[in-house]
Amino acid sequence: MPAGERPVKHLRLLPCLIAFGLSACATRPEAPAAAGTSANPITVPQITRPQQETAQWWFTAGAAAAHANVGATPPRAKNVIVFLGDGMSITTIAAAHILAGQRQGKDGESTRLAFETLPYTALSRTYETDSQTPDSAGTMTAIMSGVKTKAGFIGVGQGALRSDCASTRGNELLSMLELAELAGMATGAVTTTKLTHATPAATYGHLPERNWEADVNVKESEKGGDCADFARQLIENPFGDGLEVALGGGRENFMLPTQRDPEEPGRPGKRLDQRDLVAQWSARPGAAYVWNKEQFDKVDIGATRHLLGLFERSHMKFDHDRQNPAAEPGRVAADEPSLAEMTRTALKLLKKNPKGYFLMVEGGRIDHAHHAGNAYRALTDTIAFADAVQVALDDTDAADTLIVVTADHSHTMTFAGYPQRGNPMMGLVHGGSDFEDSGESLALDQGQQPYTTLGYANGPGYTGATDTQPEGPKTFPHYYKKLLGAPKGRPDLRKVDTTAPDYMQEATVPFMGESHGGEDVAIFARGPGAQAFHGELEQNVIFHIIVQSAPLLRAKLCASGSCNADKVPVKLPDRASLLGK
């Protein structure tokens, strides 16, 4: 076996794989069929990884792994909701549930966030085809298409070239949302980021460059060519009748330079192609557009077929800042809905379709707070994300709705020391630096300085002086261009309020922005097909479990020629042919 080869176990080769051009590699001997699964063989060929990985290989491997968990008798999920906590590492979840409990005056350690109550769990491997530590573009593409790909790619297989429009042709991947539209289901994407940001864009978009959010971004790229930007792809989605619900931020990517932002009059739109995308959306029968909470609350669900909400020029506010608005020069104050409120309204609209629906809900700013080195906003946005999950649990039936909660990648936030039970989650550690010395006294490092439970392996919380903030504890937000050093060492935190929302946890390595982490993230699930989420899964398997558990999605792939004799979708669907091109 070649070095580096990691064969998929307990999977058997389909005879029809020969027709897919995958028979060149040797196969493993067939394993006995597991109880409750089909006796017909399903596997993938052995390959030398990563050199022989292809989009087709990833799709077939994901299908086989999912089928081994789903079994021969498929579940029947009418509706599918995917909740994505962007950057929501397991450390983030643990710290967030402790903080949530403590804010309620409860025992935080035993508190559970809404999604932590779901009955089935698994781990997800998040690496991309070219990166150990991934980004949101490639990871969400894996979840939405069943195919792992490169960092920075959205809805495009690894055969394309970064920022090269022409290389996209033939490498576009069919997304779960597009598949749902083909099946006649209602679809929606809800996020606290820009609707054109990596995670939501992966539900509907196809570009080899995550930063092509508006046409101006494409034009500025040397090989942007004639590719349509993500904002345009969202509005002009060619599948079915397009998205029924799109709620988030990012107004500037949909507006013309002659138009001024309603909240920030000094900021014009970014589009140079003369396409007023808000007007295009609004021109459709039954379409509505809102940009603030007052308008959002007045939406007539019965009369609305398509709802677009763009609540900020850029990303929506962190949940803490939404609830505690501060005056900003040049800005007209306007409230915006919470993620939970957007989720509730989206479900009301999507439920109007008797065939069912697909909805993606992202807590996107968990990731941004981590990048900023601010654990408080990361954790409070995680709690707000859990509130949105609770809405879905309350408003859906576990008998017909599959709910999957996961993350795209992790972050470097650390949970360390030996704090005693009940220690304030955002506070200094009381308990000791050595487990044997754990108690109620203030814990000190080897330099006799106190420290917090939470920290970051890297990021802008490094205590050295910069060109914008002096040496010592940093205050959110900390943007800088030049690092000046930390000759005084770690600061004395005894007189610092580390529980303050703007306190930035210390970072070991100075980075302008904290980085992602490469470890596994968690998956939680409830509903038809949820039992298939167990063990450690490649991230692209999430797509396949969902599709194999939802009859309409599965049937639409089978009708396109993707399925084997057991009606398991194993062949990568041809997106262009499904569009009739």
Side-chain angles (χ1 to χ4, degrees), residues 64 232 462:
R232 183 179 166 193
Y462 181 73

Side-chain angles (χ1 to χ4, degrees), residues 195-406:
L195 276 168
T196 52
H197 210 235
T199 297
T203 66
Y204 63 81
H206 307 273
L207 288 173
E209 178 51 69
R210 61 174 291 169
N211 296 315
W212 289 353
E213 298 188 48
D215 65 302
V216 63
N217 307 124
V218 181
K219 295 180 188 302
E220 290 173 347
S221 183
E222 181 181 353
K223 295 184 178 181
D226 61 353
C227 274
D229 58 277
F230 288 123
R232 183 179 166 193
Q233 288 190 37
L234 187 154
I235 300 300
E236 299 177 356
N237 189 284
F239 288 87
D241 60 351
L243 284 76
E244 275 68 31
V245 180
L247 302 173
R251 280 192 301 260
E252 65 181 0
N253 293 323
F254 296 80
M255 297 168 54
L256 301 174
T258 55
Q259 299 171 322
R260 297 288 164 169
D261 189 86
E263 287 185 285
E264 300 179 69
R267 301 296 295 264
K270 293 179 65 174
R271 302 204 65 80
L272 300 179
D273 60 4
Q274 301 307 307
R275 284 183 169 87
D276 182 342
L277 296 183
V278 172
Q280 281 186 228
W281 177 282
S282 302
R284 291 187 290 180
Y289 167 68
V290 296
W291 63 267
N292 60 45
K293 190 174 187 303
E294 181 181 4
Q295 296 172 348
F296 175 78
D297 290 342
K298 293 179 180 178
V299 170
D300 184 345
I301 298 297
T304 303
R305 290 172 54 188
H306 299 273
L307 176 62
L308 173 65
L310 298 172
F311 301 106
E312 284 286 344
R313 176 185 61 82
S314 183
H315 301 298
M316 292 182 69
K317 295 177 181 177
F318 290 108
D319 196 66
H320 167 75
D321 300 317
R322 180 186 66 82
Q323 297 189 63
N324 300 275
E328 300 177 49
R331 181 182 175 92
V332 179
D335 291 338
E336 57 192 51
S338 67
L339 186 60
E341 290 168 332
M342 291 192 290
T343 301
R344 182 176 291 109
T345 294
L347 288 172
K348 288 179 180 178
L349 200 152
L350 297 176
K351 285 181 178 179
K352 293 165 57 177
N353 189 327
K355 289 188 176 182
Y357 58 82
F358 167 81
L359 173 64
M360 189 286 298
V361 179
E362 182 199 20
R365 305 224 65 194
I366 301 168
D367 173 74
H368 294 168
H370 277 318
H371 281 308
N374 182 234
Y376 186 91
R377 284 174 174 79
L379 301 189
T380 51
D381 263 50
T382 302
I383 294 169
F385 174 73
D387 291 341
V389 175
Q390 187 63 61
V391 166
L393 296 178
D394 293 340
D395 292 355
T396 62
D397 188 341
D400 66 7
T401 302
L402 172 59
I403 295 177
V404 179
V405 183
T406 189

